[in-house]
Amino acid sequence: MPGPIRGVLFDKDGTLIDFERTWLPGLLSAARQLAVTHDIETDVDSLTRAAGGDPEKGTIAPGTLLAQGTATEVAALWCRLVPALPSIEETAAWLDAYWLDHAARNLAPACDLRELFLTLRAQDIRIAIVTNDAERGAWDMVDALDLRGLVDFVAGYDSGHTPKPAPDMLEAFLRTGGMAADETVMVGDSRADMEAGRAAGCRATIGVLTGATPEPQLAALADFIIPDAGHLPNLLLQVH
């Protein structure tokens, strides 16, 4: 009989914060602003589409770079398509700054995160945030939503671990907390989150519907589906 859950790994964008209300406009406008900033003449809408966005419909396709990739991956794609752009490193740094600033001004929690984290901590559950955003973006969210002291581990794509769907960030949390993988669950909104949780050996992968992945696609990958992260404490009673 498995023991209790000792750790929960959360994705950030689309899981702890509502994807569309927080990120969508900034992600879709990035290519246009990048072209203006660097005085580059190009079909910026084609860059947005190449990364998974639809400027006309105002949507981002699940599983694409804009939905679950890193700033470096988007920068590498755009630099390949537009050689006149600065280096991948410079373009990625610009994207990080632009997106983080936009997110900070439009932060929309998916649920009452402080109440959720307090509930989990009261059950002696350790909390990790593992995101393909920059680590700074995760800490900005933690500070803005008064979550300092409730989060045990944070990792971003720039924290020295291979980004999701690789399990590296998750495994770093396990080592830090001295936990076995089957004592943890992974909560996220994307294919990358579910694949990372399975690769790490988490007891369960839990999908939420506050991100860019439609329920039918997420249900094919997740062990459980909940409307948002606020439903997690009740679900954990079943996972036990």
Side-chain angles (χ1 to χ4, degrees), residues 82-108:
V82 185
L85 283 172
S87 67
I88 293 173
E89 292 76 13
E90 185 177 342
T91 302
W94 184 92
L95 287 171
D96 262 339
Y98 181 79
W99 284 333
L100 291 174
D101 178 67
H102 182 276
R105 290 183 283 106
N106 296 274
L107 199 61

Side-chain angles (χ1 to χ4, degrees), residues 31-217:
R32 293 178 183 180
Q33 190 58 48
L34 182 67
V36 170
T37 299
H38 293 285
D39 193 26
I40 294 168
E41 292 186 8
T42 189
D43 180 3
V44 292
D45 283 355
S46 70
L47 294 182
T48 303
R49 293 189 192 94
D54 187 325
E56 287 78 21
K57 295 180 180 178
T59 58
I60 291 172
T64 61
L65 290 184
L66 288 182
Q68 64 182 43
T70 68
T72 299
E73 290 172 325
V74 176
L77 170 66
W78 287 353
C79 287
R80 192 163 63 247
L81 295 173
V82 185
L85 283 172
S87 67
I88 293 173
E89 292 76 13
E90 185 177 342
T91 302
W94 184 92
L95 287 171
D96 262 339
Y98 181 79
W99 284 333
L100 291 174
D101 178 67
H102 182 276
R105 290 183 283 106
N106 296 274
L107 199 61
C111 61
D112 187 334
L113 295 181
R114 184 167 176 81
E115 178 182 352
L116 169 61
F117 284 15
L118 284 169
T119 299
L120 295 175
R121 291 300 291 267
Q123 299 172 15
D124 293 324
I125 293 175
R126 295 172 65 85
I127 296 169
I129 300 173
V130 289
T131 174
N132 279 0
D133 187 15
E135 182 177 331
R136 179 198 136 193
W139 284 119
D140 285 351
M141 182 204 74
V142 166
D143 288 334
L145 300 178
D146 193 24
L147 302 174
R148 279 274 179 177
L150 299 177
V151 177
D152 299 285
F153 179 89
V154 168
Y157 82 89
D158 53 356
S159 300
H161 313 291
T162 305
K164 298 173 292 183
D168 297 34
M169 287 189 261
L170 290 69
E171 292 170 347
F173 172 56
L174 298 179
R175 291 192 298 271
T176 300
M179 289 172 287
D182 67 359
E183 295 177 314
T184 67
V185 297
M186 176 69 211
V187 184
D189 72 300
S190 73
R191 171 182 291 274
D193 297 323
M194 303 299 101
E195 290 179 351
R198 294 194 176 192
C202 294
R203 186 181 304 178
T205 54
I206 300 169
V208 294
L209 301 179
T210 46
T213 309
E215 184 172 3
Q217 294 183 32

